[in-house]
mmCIF file of all heavy atoms in Angstrom:
data_model
loop_
_atom_site.group_PDB
_atom_site.id
_atom_site.type_symbol
_atom_site.label_atom_id
_atom_site.label_comp_id
_atom_site.label_asym_id
_atom_site.label_seq_id
_atom_site.Cartn_x
_atom_site.Cartn_y
_atom_site.Cartn_z
ATOM 1 N N HIS A 215 -1.540 50.674 35.021
ATOM 2 C CA HIS A 215 -2.106 49.595 35.832
ATOM 3 C C HIS A 215 -1.270 48.322 35.704
ATOM 4 O O HIS A 215 -1.092 47.590 36.687
ATOM 5 C CB HIS A 215 -3.554 49.331 35.422
ATOM 6 C CG HIS A 215 -4.474 50.469 35.755
ATOM 7 N ND1 HIS A 215 -4.699 51.508 34.879
ATOM 8 C CD2 HIS A 215 -5.198 50.743 36.865
ATOM 9 C CE1 HIS A 215 -5.533 52.369 35.441
ATOM 10 N NE2 HIS A 215 -5.848 51.940 36.637
ATOM 11 N N ASN A 216 -0.755 48.044 34.506
ATOM 12 C CA ASN A 216 0.152 46.912 34.344
ATOM 13 C C ASN A 216 1.419 47.111 35.170
ATOM 14 O O ASN A 216 1.893 46.185 35.836
ATOM 15 C CB ASN A 216 0.526 46.732 32.866
ATOM 16 C CG ASN A 216 -0.549 46.022 32.071
ATOM 17 O OD1 ASN A 216 -1.368 45.290 32.624
ATOM 18 N ND2 ASN A 216 -0.562 46.245 30.777
ATOM 19 N N THR A 217 1.965 48.316 35.111
ATOM 20 C CA THR A 217 3.191 48.598 35.857
ATOM 21 C C THR A 217 2.957 48.424 37.353
ATOM 22 O O THR A 217 3.777 47.811 38.059
ATOM 23 C CB THR A 217 3.683 50.026 35.565
ATOM 24 O OG1 THR A 217 3.906 50.160 34.151
ATOM 25 C CG2 THR A 217 4.967 50.326 36.306
ATOM 26 N N GLY A 218 1.849 48.947 37.848
ATOM 27 C CA GLY A 218 1.546 48.804 39.271
ATOM 28 C C GLY A 218 1.364 47.348 39.676
ATOM 29 O O GLY A 218 1.844 46.919 40.736
ATOM 30 N N ALA A 219 0.674 46.578 38.847
ATOM 31 C CA ALA A 219 0.452 45.159 39.139
ATOM 32 C C ALA A 219 1.765 44.386 39.133
ATOM 33 O O ALA A 219 1.984 43.492 39.967
ATOM 34 C CB ALA A 219 -0.517 44.565 38.124
ATOM 35 N N ILE A 220 2.652 44.718 38.189
ATOM 36 C CA ILE A 220 3.961 44.061 38.119
ATOM 37 C C ILE A 220 4.762 44.335 39.386
ATOM 38 O O ILE A 220 5.377 43.432 39.973
ATOM 39 C CB ILE A 220 4.726 44.529 36.866
ATOM 40 C CG1 ILE A 220 4.103 43.913 35.610
ATOM 41 C CG2 ILE A 220 6.216 44.181 36.964
ATOM 42 C CD1 ILE A 220 4.614 44.496 34.314
ATOM 43 N N ILE A 221 4.773 45.583 39.823
ATOM 44 C CA ILE A 221 5.523 45.940 41.033
ATOM 45 C C ILE A 221 4.978 45.197 42.244
ATOM 46 O O ILE A 221 5.736 44.667 43.071
ATOM 47 C CB ILE A 221 5.471 47.462 41.261
ATOM 48 C CG1 ILE A 221 6.231 48.188 40.145
ATOM 49 C CG2 ILE A 221 6.058 47.830 42.627
ATOM 50 C CD1 ILE A 221 6.063 49.696 40.158
ATOM 51 N N ARG A 222 3.669 45.122 42.347
ATOM 52 C CA ARG A 222 3.035 44.437 43.483
ATOM 53 C C ARG A 222 3.435 42.965 43.513
ATOM 54 O O ARG A 222 3.778 42.412 44.568
ATOM 55 C CB ARG A 222 1.520 44.576 43.368
ATOM 56 C CG ARG A 222 0.740 44.090 44.570
ATOM 57 C CD ARG A 222 -0.739 44.424 44.404
ATOM 58 N NE ARG A 222 -1.512 44.053 45.578
ATOM 59 C CZ ARG A 222 -2.796 44.321 45.732
ATOM 60 N NH1 ARG A 222 -3.449 44.971 44.786
ATOM 61 N NH2 ARG A 222 -3.446 43.934 46.825
ATOM 62 N N THR A 223 3.400 42.306 42.353
ATOM 63 C CA THR A 223 3.785 40.897 42.272
ATOM 64 C C THR A 223 5.251 40.706 42.606
ATOM 65 O O THR A 223 5.626 39.755 43.307
ATOM 66 C CB THR A 223 3.482 40.338 40.875
ATOM 67 O OG1 THR A 223 2.087 40.459 40.606
ATOM 68 C CG2 THR A 223 3.891 38.876 40.772
ATOM 69 N N CYS A 224 6.098 41.610 42.108
ATOM 70 C CA CYS A 224 7.534 41.496 42.368
ATOM 71 C C CYS A 224 7.851 41.569 43.859
ATOM 72 O O CYS A 224 8.700 40.828 44.370
ATOM 73 C CB CYS A 224 8.292 42.595 41.625
ATOM 74 S SG CYS A 224 8.468 42.296 39.849
ATOM 75 N N VAL A 225 7.174 42.458 44.561
ATOM 76 C CA VAL A 225 7.388 42.560 46.004
ATOM 77 C C VAL A 225 6.952 41.268 46.691
ATOM 78 O O VAL A 225 7.667 40.731 47.548
ATOM 79 C CB VAL A 225 6.637 43.779 46.580
ATOM 80 C CG1 VAL A 225 6.665 43.766 48.107
ATOM 81 C CG2 VAL A 225 7.258 45.070 46.069
ATOM 82 N N CYS A 226 5.799 40.746 46.318
ATOM 83 C CA CYS A 226 5.305 39.504 46.921
ATOM 84 C C CYS A 226 6.241 38.327 46.641
ATOM 85 O O CYS A 226 6.387 37.427 47.479
ATOM 86 C CB CYS A 226 3.910 39.179 46.382
ATOM 87 S SG CYS A 226 2.631 40.334 46.910
ATOM 88 N N ALA A 227 6.876 38.338 45.471
ATOM 89 C CA ALA A 227 7.753 37.230 45.074
ATOM 90 C C ALA A 227 9.199 37.427 45.517
ATOM 91 O O ALA A 227 10.048 36.583 45.216
ATOM 92 C CB ALA A 227 7.703 37.052 43.559
#
Side-chain angles (χ1 to χ4, degrees):
H215 293 89
N216 280 337
T217 302
I220 287 170
I221 293 171
R222 188 174 184 175
T223 300
C224 284
V225 171
C226 292

